Amino acid sequence: MWYLKVDTLLLMLAAAVLFAAASALLARFRPGKALTPWLLVLDLGLLLYVDWKLLAFYAAYTLVSYLLAWSIGKIRRGRKFCFVLFCLLDVAPLFYTRSAAFFPALPQWIVLVGFAYNMLKAVDAVFYVYYTGERIPLLAYANYLLFFPVLTAGPIFRYRDFLKAYQAPKILTASTAEASVKRLILGLFKKLVVAAFLLKALNRVLQMSSHFYVSGALAVLSYLILYVDLSGYSDIAIAVGTFMGIPVPENFKKPWQAASFTQFWRRWHVTLSDFIREHIFVVVNGKRLNKWISALIGLVTMLVMSLWHEFSLPALCTGLYMGGVLALENLTGLTTVDKRRTPKALYVFRCLVVFGLFAVNAMFFTMSGSQLLQAIRGFFRL
């Protein structure tokens, strides 16, 4: 991935360090002034360095999606219809490119890197204007959409959170710089060292005969691979964002300590699960959320999250699997667990159940179809 190519990574880190130094100097000699509007220069420069077609697409998409967010605040008649239409237009490029799996003859002339994340940010801007009525400045919106530390792999910023940091960026201190460097090293170590080691271990175990303990090992390795890969990217983004005075939200909060799937999705890829759940909740706001509606929301949320990653049959299956488990939790009232009031043995057991069920889900992302079927059959062989 270009985000972790040595030349691109060094360029990104150099830009972050220079921006942090310039911001510190400006704060010392021109208090009250901020360099955040100039972030756009770095964003566009990085896109140009990677691919001029990528720059062209994002420049056009930024302008078009801004016009949609701006227009929804001006429309008075047919607002609900336009709201839905504008959200669909924001995601149209993603549907077009993902349709290649079903219609390979379609010309793929759009260069999309990290678009799935930026699409959600564009949709959030439409939500923001529609429900608050506030205007979004073009420069702030462009910086929000193209903020390069989170351009390709999240975490996902919501506009209201980005705007607060954008308007009042934090000055880098010695302590935050030290913490950021440590976080950056941790992220690179996870992604480049630990993930590579786990992938080799996974491939080695795949060569073994199918038995329940082999399938169990494959599930655990799949879980760990997903975790170090996704959390490694998040660590890098958080470190770079902190250097630039714009704190990036946490994306992983010790998911292995979750004793239910409701709690798990508040700890795993937090910004994505919160984003989708909250935006679905906004649509049904005002309706009575009984356990059946809550279960349906859980099922739909998991389906959207899975299909957001990929339009495919395995993605549909994993969405139904995770959504079904989440819906069952809502129907049975097992969504929350109070750690202080729950016996330790029971709490640990529930954490292990959540870990195991999600580990099986993780296998969909680390194996081919034939390997996955073989691993699933292995669970039933002693």
Side-chain angles (χ1 to χ4, degrees), residues 77 150 192 350:
R77 299 183 62 180
V150 297
L192 301 179
R350 291 195 57 169

Side-chain angles (χ1 to χ4, degrees), residues 85 113 144 252 262 266 268-269 291 294 309 319 342 354 377:
L85 175 62
V113 175
Y144 162 67
F252 291 86
T262 301
R266 292 170 183 165
W268 177 283
H269 215 324
K291 63 180 182 180
S294 297
H309 284 94
T342 305
V354 171
R377 285 196 295 265

Side-chain angles (χ1 to χ4, degrees), residues 328-341:
L328 186 62
E329 275 194 355
N330 278 276
L331 293 175
T332 55
L334 298 175
T335 56
T336 57
V337 181
D338 190 336
K339 185 176 181 179
R340 292 174 296 181
R341 297 181 179 180

Side-chain angles (χ1 to χ4, degrees), residues 172-211:
L172 187 67
T173 63
S175 59
T176 54
E178 179 183 1
S180 296
V181 170
K182 291 180 179 178
R183 192 72 180 266
L184 176 65
I185 294 173
L186 175 63
L188 290 172
F189 180 74
K190 283 181 180 178
K191 181 65 183 122
L192 301 179
V193 179
V194 180
F197 172 80
L198 291 172
L199 279 171
K200 287 186 176 181
L202 179 74
N203 291 329
R204 180 67 63 86
V205 176
L206 281 170
Q207 298 172 7
M208 298 180 180
S209 301
S210 295
H211 293 285

Side-chain angles (χ1 to χ4, degrees), residues 87-103:
C87 289
L88 291 175
L89 289 174
D90 276 334
V91 305
L94 180 69
F95 279 102
Y96 183 86
T97 55
R98 293 285 173 84
S99 63
F102 305 98
F103 306 102

